[in-house]
Amino acid sequence: MNIVRFFCLSLFLIAEVQAHSLPGISTIDTLKPDVVVAQDGSGLFKTIGEALLYVTNSSSHRVIIYIKDGIYTEKVSIHRPNVTLVGQSRKGTRIAYSIPAGNESISRGVLNIFGNGVVLENLTVENTYPHRRHTFALYGRGSFVLTKNCDFIAKGNDTVALWAEGGGYYYHDNCHFEGNIDFLCPRGWCYVNNSTFYEVDTRAALWHDGGKDPNKKLVIKNSKFDGARKYALGRYPRDSQFYLISCHFSDSTENIIDTNAPAARNEEFQWGRRVFFYDCDRAGGNTPWLKDNLHTAAGAPKAKDITAKWTFDGVWDPESTAAPQIKDVKTEAPYRVVQVVFSEPVTVRGLPVIITRKGKTLKWTKTNGSNVITFSALDAGDAPLKIDVQKGSIFASSASTSIRYANLRFPKK
């Protein structure tokens, strides 16, 4: 990128950040995007791939890419952590590409996630390959992935396959999943709420890899299942743990099958069948396999306690609204640089400053993305008084359902 091009892009970025909130944005109504993608040329870039190349660097602060409506016929890979892709509208912003599994690179899907903390919101991802084989729409090895108000569509297997090494953490809210066998197939911990599922054939809809750790689980709450013909709700190819809470099933839905499970437990089947239902119903009348049995799960959890935080064993709470807190304010020798230590990694927007007790202004040094942000040198005999974000903001970097702005009160000494 030449200097003139970079200068023009920088000016455009500043204008976008200062503009009013764009329509169609939900969780970032009060937070402007860093980059806008638009096929008509009204954004910084015309493709999502170009935008991702532009923001790729070694920093881990959250970057928000707003995508205007259009059909983006491209294969997208996200390697940077803490990237948010937000579409202008769920149906209007479509990433659509035809790609079968086979002799593919590591990026097997239409949208591929390799960085942690990625957020997808208000968009559709569709694998348009017409035949029923492995056709990944959303694929990835990243963890702490959050999707909200999204459609994931394919005609084949493994529509949404998030497979972090050793098992990852995935959160889906108000989404639609559609495909053939195993079209939602997480490895590790996965929480789904208020979503819809549609099986296009007669195969099993759900699959879960819960091996190596008995706490791994797939939890689905307040969701609806349907299919073109009679289909199995899921299958049991290895150790799995399913929780289905307050879900509705069409009369084409059949029980989770485990006919391939061995008669005796082995390395792949250490904990036996673990399929738990509570407050579910099926059109045409309930069947014995659908009866409430949540009380038989490990620890006998109550339905009200089965939350995202519970699902992730307290490792991650994407629904938290708690503000990051300042834990310490330190002056580091020998240059007397001021370090503000937060309770978790934060993202800095704008140009915050520290106001000192003597009324001086300390500039932010542009360090970003960690739990420590630094400011310029403090004079001897002076002390930090407060942070002034001016027209910017400081908020949690982690993937969350809402923006969590930091509490900027300095702790009492």
Side-chain angles (χ1 to χ4, degrees):
M1 184 181 295
N2 61 41
I3 298 298
V4 173
R5 171 67 170 158
F6 180 81
F7 181 71
C8 291
L9 291 177
S10 299
L11 289 178
F12 187 92
L13 178 59
I14 292 169
E16 284 294 331
V17 169
Q18 293 176 342
H20 293 293
S21 294
L22 295 168
I25 297 177
S26 52
T27 61
I28 58 169
D29 278 337
T30 59
L31 195 63
K32 315 301 184 296
D34 296 283
V35 180
V36 175
V37 177
Q39 292 179 330
D40 62 6
S42 61
L44 193 58
F45 297 102
K46 290 185 177 181
T47 71
I48 301 166
E50 289 176 319
L52 288 167
L53 286 174
Y54 178 64
V55 302
T56 297
N57 54 49
S58 59
S59 185
S60 59
H61 66 279
R62 182 155 297 280
V63 171
I64 298 173
I65 299 174
Y66 178 76
I67 309 167
K68 290 189 177 181
D69 281 352
I71 300 176
Y72 294 84
T73 309
E74 53 181 306
K75 184 177 177 181
V76 175
S77 292
I78 303 173
H79 293 273
R80 187 192 190 281
N82 295 335
V83 171
T84 297
L85 299 186
V86 183
Q88 182 177 354
S89 68
R90 178 170 178 165
K91 300 296 184 182
T93 304
R94 302 179 69 85
I95 307 171
Y97 199 81
S98 177
I99 174 172
N103 295 323
E104 279 297 320
S105 65
I106 190 172
S107 300
R108 301 180 183 182
V110 175
L111 200 162
N112 303 274
I113 295 174
F114 300 106
N116 292 340
V118 170
V119 175
L120 308 177
E121 186 175 344
N122 277 7
L123 50 82
T124 293
V125 182
E126 182 176 6
N127 191 330
T128 58
Y129 188 75
H131 304 298
R132 293 181 181 174
R133 55 185 293 183
H134 284 96
T135 49
F136 301 95
L138 177 62
Y139 171 82
R141 296 286 184 171
S143 189
F144 304 102
V145 175
L146 186 153
T147 74
K148 185 176 179 181
N149 305 330
C150 292
D151 291 354
F152 302 104
I153 301 170
K155 293 293 187 288
N157 309 354
D158 295 24
T159 305
V160 174
L162 296 174
W163 296 346
E165 190 72 28
Y169 300 89
Y170 321 112
Y171 176 97
H172 307 284
D173 183 58
N174 194 32
C175 291
H176 175 72
F177 306 91
E178 183 172 327
N180 191 16
I181 188 170
D182 305 340
F183 62 85
L184 178 68
C185 52
R187 297 180 187 268
W189 293 259
C190 181
Y191 179 88
V192 184
N193 184 53
N194 191 34
S195 295
T196 55
F197 296 77
Y198 189 78
E199 167 61 62
V200 301
D201 204 343
T202 61
R203 308 301 292 273
L206 304 176
W207 178 97
H208 173 239
D209 183 353
K212 312 302 181 186
D213 187 333
N215 290 321
K216 292 177 180 176
K217 57 187 79 75
L218 168 56
V219 173
I220 302 177
K221 295 182 65 176
N222 308 311
S223 296
K224 296 181 179 180
F225 290 78
D226 196 5
R229 292 178 288 278
K230 285 191 179 297
Y231 70 97
L233 175 59
R235 68 188 185 105
Y236 228 96
R238 63 186 68 199
D239 271 322
S240 307
Q241 187 169 200
F242 299 93
Y243 289 81
L244 293 119
I245 312 297
S246 300
C247 292
H248 174 77
F249 305 101
S250 70
D251 58 5
S252 58
T253 310
E254 302 293 335
N255 194 6
I256 290 175
I257 56 177
D258 58 3
T259 53
N260 61 325
R265 296 184 182 183
N266 60 30
E267 186 176 348
E268 292 295 327
F269 289 89
Q270 299 182 54
W271 302 298
R273 180 182 171 94
R274 295 179 297 169
V275 179
F276 307 109
F277 295 96
Y278 182 82
D279 188 34
C280 294
D281 64 84
R282 182 176 181 270
N286 289 350
T287 56
W289 60 265
L290 198 54
K291 68 179 182 180
D292 291 352
N293 67 339
L294 183 60
H295 63 282
T296 67
K302 303 294 185 184
K304 65 180 179 62
D305 297 325
I306 296 182
T307 62
K309 184 178 180 179
W310 177 88
T311 300
F312 303 133
D313 300 324
V315 173
W316 179 36
D317 184 7
E319 296 177 344
S320 173
T321 58
Q325 305 290 318
I326 295 177
K327 307 297 289 184
D328 196 8
V329 181
K330 303 186 294 185
T331 304
E332 289 292 303
Y335 302 108
R336 297 188 56 79
V337 171
V338 177
Q339 295 184 330
V340 179
V341 182
F342 285 86
S343 55
E344 61 182 289
V346 293
T347 291
V348 180
R349 283 282 194 88
L351 296 171
V353 297
I354 282 182
I355 308 300
T356 73
R357 293 192 181 279
K358 292 185 176 181
K360 292 196 172 183
T361 299
L362 308 182
K363 293 182 179 180
W364 172 48
T365 63
K366 305 294 180 67
T367 56
N368 205 348
S370 77
N371 68 320
V372 179
I373 61 175
T374 61
F375 294 82
S376 55
L378 182 72
D379 290 345
D382 203 353
L385 179 61
K386 64 178 181 179
I387 292 180
D388 183 356
V389 297
Q390 303 185 87
K391 293 183 179 181
S393 59
I394 300 174
F395 58 94
S397 296
S398 66
S400 301
T401 56
S402 60
I403 302 300
R404 297 187 291 117
Y405 292 99
N407 181 346
L408 299 179
R409 294 177 183 171
F410 285 176
K412 293 181 179 180
K413 294 292 187 179

